[in-house]
Amino acid sequence: MKKATTVALVAVLSVVTIVGCSSNKEPAPSKDATPTASSNAKRPPTKFTISYQTTANTGYHTRVDINNDKWIKKLRELTNTDLTLKVIERSKMGVMFASNDIPDVVGNLGTATDSAMSGSVEAGMFLPLDDLLKKNAPNLMKQVPKEAWDAVSYNGKIYGIPNWLSNPSRRATFIRTDLLEKAGMQPPKTIDEFLNVLRKFKEIGVKYPYAGRENLKYADTVLGAYDVLPYKEQFTLVNGQVVPKFTNADGMMKALNVLKTMYDEGLMSKEFATITSTEWLKNIRAGEAGMWSSNLVSLNDFRTNIPNAVKDGKVDVISSPKGPDGKSGYLMYLPVTSAHYINKNVKPETAAEIVKYFDWMTTPEAEMFFTYGIEGDTYTMENGKVKYKEPTNKEEQEEQDHRGTLHSSHESTVNRLKMQTDPNGPYILNAFDNILSKEGLSGIGFAPDLEASAKFPDASFPMSDAAPKIIMDHMIKIIYGKEPISDWPKVIEEWKSKGGNEMIKEATERYNSNKGVLFLGKK
């Protein structure tokens, strides 16, 4: 779900393009909710600066004066603020911290000890917010889960105001229902049934019964069933040590045996190890794949494109096939998608109003503005229902995304309000609430990353959902039959000898001292 070309925050915050999921219902108005502009207009607007990151020099923010466009003007009106946006290139964030030229609020950052923070929280550059939140943010204090507060805390104090996930399970198993019906099969519930469905798909002529992909990214259904996802957020406690799940030799060998069976029987592409994300998606959209995994919100994409390529093509989400221990699903995400931090030099009275500004973000009024814009401009109300003017070109899409970027501090896994006008909205919400909420793999992660990772690149995890090079190289060789499955314990020892032991030692020490430990998913 996982790389925006415009303001980076859009990828996870856009309330229209959405990347995630939630089991929460739309928040109801609170009797002690933050006052809106109409009720607090007697006080002067709160003046402050707030920054967002960008990874590209293209997009809406480069075409307009964002501090004088209709969205920022309306936001100021709704919140009784005089805020100024500052867009900062991601590559320059470290320079900003080093120069100490920091806006009043720094946005689109991660956890309190994330590497992108450049040690700024530890260095005392931001305000602890516990008292400010208790006094000025009743909505946030009720709605934000403890796991999210923990992720933006340091030494027991809250420093960040998060965008959070109530349901960290966001990836799903997709299946071509029309092919399932043609094959006369039921959705698979176990790995054995999963293999049998794939075999039947091949028998009826499906080109790629399972959509494999390089590094097994978004192609890790089997690894999840055996709870051996080889990712950096998938450490676990075993006999007093915190170790990666791929060190479970028995589980990994069983998973590799299934993957090798799929390769040997042609149930996935023989070239799966070199299929790029672009080619993988093209194959799915062309109706050539029978089953695959992806972020749930991709459903609209698949239901739009596949029927265009295959007459009567149907796509549905099913429960992920379970392994022998009843495990199933995919990587669970951090409880925080991004967070905002308040400069320590902000005056107390201003900091209090800034916290109220973020608390307002959770209200129904805020949801309407960021989801649909301005009544009479981008939407109208007809018979009590919203009639929204959807984007029709790239520029309008980028503008809509920009508006979503401004939506800070809210439940960001799925926009339930937008789902009310989405043709697939009820289906997506049902899948979130009744399928994904019951699966997914919990794990332990660390922020900042383990220091040993920088010392041993071949043994480290290159990104959140990628295995160490040593591990993935051997997995591919085993699936291709170039190495025996029984050699996996030797692979674990090789990884340990090339830096893995140091990573396990550091992970265990940090876990025991609760230093930058992140618990993903359900404890």
Side-chain angles (χ1 to χ4, degrees):
M1 249 208 138
K2 16 165 120 321
K3 316 307 188 193
T5 56
T6 180
V7 179
L9 190 56
V10 171
V12 288
L13 296 187
S14 170
V15 293
V16 179
T17 54
I18 314 166
V19 298
C21 56
S22 172
S23 58
N24 278 6
K25 303 301 180 187
E26 195 69 22
S30 171
K31 65 180 180 179
D32 53 358
T34 303
T36 57
S38 59
S39 61
N40 62 20
K42 291 184 179 180
R43 67 168 177 79
T46 301
K47 187 172 184 177
F48 65 96
T49 56
I50 182 169
S51 69
Y52 292 101
Q53 297 180 58
T54 178
T55 56
N57 57 2
T58 60
Y60 180 79
H61 68 283
T62 65
R63 299 195 305 270
V64 302
D65 180 355
I66 57 173
N67 281 299
N68 284 295
D69 78 344
K70 62 184 178 183
W71 305 119
I72 199 68
K73 288 180 179 179
K74 186 64 176 179
L75 181 57
R76 289 171 181 148
E77 175 190 331
L78 290 169
T79 58
N80 194 28
T81 59
D82 181 15
L83 60 91
T84 299
L85 294 180
K86 292 187 176 182
V87 179
I88 301 175
E89 292 182 25
R90 184 181 295 273
S91 61
K92 296 181 179 179
M93 292 297 292
V95 175
M96 180 192 75
F97 286 127
S99 66
N100 208 31
D101 182 18
I102 304 174
D104 297 323
V105 180
V106 180
N108 189 23
L109 292 171
T111 60
T113 53
D114 189 273
S115 58
M117 298 295 292
S118 301
S120 55
V121 171
E122 295 95 319
M125 294 183 179
F126 296 107
L127 286 174
L129 303 175
D130 299 75
D131 292 339
L132 283 166
L133 288 164
K134 291 175 183 176
K135 293 177 182 178
N136 303 288
N139 296 315
L140 286 171
M141 296 308 291
K142 291 176 183 177
Q143 295 182 33
V144 178
K146 181 180 182 300
E147 292 79 10
W149 287 129
D150 290 345
V152 293
S153 296
Y154 175 69
N155 280 348
K157 294 184 179 297
I158 297 171
Y159 283 88
I161 301 175
N163 286 287
W164 69 92
L165 302 176
S166 293
N167 183 352
S169 180
R170 296 160 65 180
R171 297 185 183 182
T173 299
F174 289 82
I175 196 166
R176 283 277 303 282
T177 317
D178 58 313
L179 296 176
L180 195 64
E181 293 171 352
K182 183 179 179 180
M185 304 285 281
Q186 294 296 315
K189 296 181 179 180
T190 66
I191 284 295
D192 286 341
E193 292 177 2
F194 166 77
L195 286 173
N196 288 333
V197 168
L198 296 183
R199 288 172 179 133
K200 195 66 176 181
F201 279 178
K202 180 184 178 184
E203 183 181 318
I204 64 174
V206 180
K207 187 173 182 178
Y208 305 116
Y210 182 81
R213 180 173 155 183
E214 61 183 348
N215 297 321
L216 298 176
K217 185 172 182 178
Y218 286 102
D220 48 7
T221 306
V222 174
L223 297 176
Y226 289 91
D227 199 11
V228 289
L229 295 173
Y231 310 140
K232 70 177 181 179
E233 300 92 347
Q234 288 285 299
F235 277 66
T236 188
L237 183 64
V238 178
N239 297 326
Q241 287 190 314
V242 178
V243 299
K245 290 185 178 180
F246 62 72
T247 58
N248 173 3
D250 182 62
M252 181 58 88
M253 287 190 291
K254 290 177 180 177
L256 289 170
N257 183 61
V258 174
L259 289 167
K260 188 175 186 305
T261 297
M262 291 166 62
Y263 174 80
D264 290 343
E265 296 185 16
L267 305 182
M268 62 181 177
S269 172
K270 294 290 186 179
E271 291 77 36
F272 79 91
T274 58
I275 291 179
T276 64
S277 59
T278 300
E279 185 180 359
W280 173 84
L281 186 57
K282 180 180 177 181
N283 294 339
I284 292 172
R285 288 172 172 170
E288 296 178 336
M291 208 180 310
W292 62 93
S293 74
S294 183
N295 285 345
L296 176 53
V297 291
S298 300
L299 179 74
N300 282 332
D301 181 312
F302 301 139
R303 284 192 168 179
T304 298
N305 287 288
I306 292 174
N308 289 334
V310 180
K311 184 180 179 181
D312 299 325
K314 294 192 297 184
V315 182
D316 282 295
V317 173
I318 61 172
S319 297
S320 301
K322 290 180 170 59
D325 296 327
K327 300 290 183 65
S328 65
Y330 306 94
L331 173 76
M332 287 196 182
Y333 285 67
L334 282 169
V336 169
T337 58
S338 66
H340 292 71
Y341 297 80
I342 301 177
N343 191 320
K344 69 173 182 179
N345 297 318
V346 171
K347 295 179 180 179
E349 58 271 23
T350 301
E353 295 302 325
I354 290 174
V355 169
K356 292 179 183 178
Y357 165 83
F358 285 108
D359 195 59
W360 173 82
M361 294 285 172
T362 66
T363 65
E365 182 181 43
E367 293 288 344
M368 280 296 294
F369 172 65
F370 294 115
T371 302
Y372 296 121
I374 300 171
E375 186 173 2
D377 179 7
T378 51
Y379 79 93
T380 57
M381 298 298 296
E382 296 184 5
N383 300 319
K385 294 184 178 181
V386 174
K387 186 175 182 181
Y388 179 57
K389 181 183 177 183
E390 296 283 356
T392 58
N393 55 49
K394 178 183 177 183
E395 287 72 25
E396 290 179 356
Q397 181 68 53
E398 289 176 343
E399 183 176 0
Q400 176 182 265
D401 290 347
H402 168 73
R403 187 176 72 241
T405 299
L406 304 177
H407 196 187
S408 311
S409 189
H410 67 118
E411 211 295 322
S412 56
T413 41
V414 68
N415 185 341
R416 291 177 177 268
L417 185 61
K418 184 66 172 76
M419 289 293 99
Q420 295 177 15
T421 59
D422 187 318
N424 291 311
Y427 185 95
I428 291 173
L429 291 179
N430 180 68
F432 277 134
D433 294 342
N434 297 307
I435 297 179
L436 268 66
S437 64
K438 299 176 182 178
E439 62 183 42
L441 290 309
S442 302
I444 298 171
F446 299 91
D449 288 341
L450 299 172
E451 292 181 3
S453 296
K455 300 177 182 177
F456 306 99
D458 285 347
S460 68
F461 301 82
M463 59 186 68
S464 63
D465 52 356
K469 185 177 185 304
I470 292 172
I471 296 302
M472 185 52 64
D473 284 351
H474 283 291
M475 288 175 67
I476 299 301
K477 289 177 181 178
I478 288 172
I479 295 170
Y480 274 104
K482 295 181 179 179
E483 294 179 357
I485 295 175
S486 58
D487 270 3
W488 190 253
K490 296 179 182 178
V491 174
I492 297 173
E493 292 307 313
E494 179 185 352
W495 175 79
K496 288 181 177 180
S497 70
K498 294 184 176 180
N501 280 324
E502 287 79 358
M503 296 181 72
I504 291 173
K505 179 181 178 182
E506 182 184 351
T508 303
E509 290 174 350
R510 284 179 58 175
Y511 177 85
N512 289 334
S513 61
N514 195 25
K515 183 179 179 182
V517 181
L518 301 173
F519 295 94
L520 283 76
K522 307 159 189 172
K523 292 185 182 180

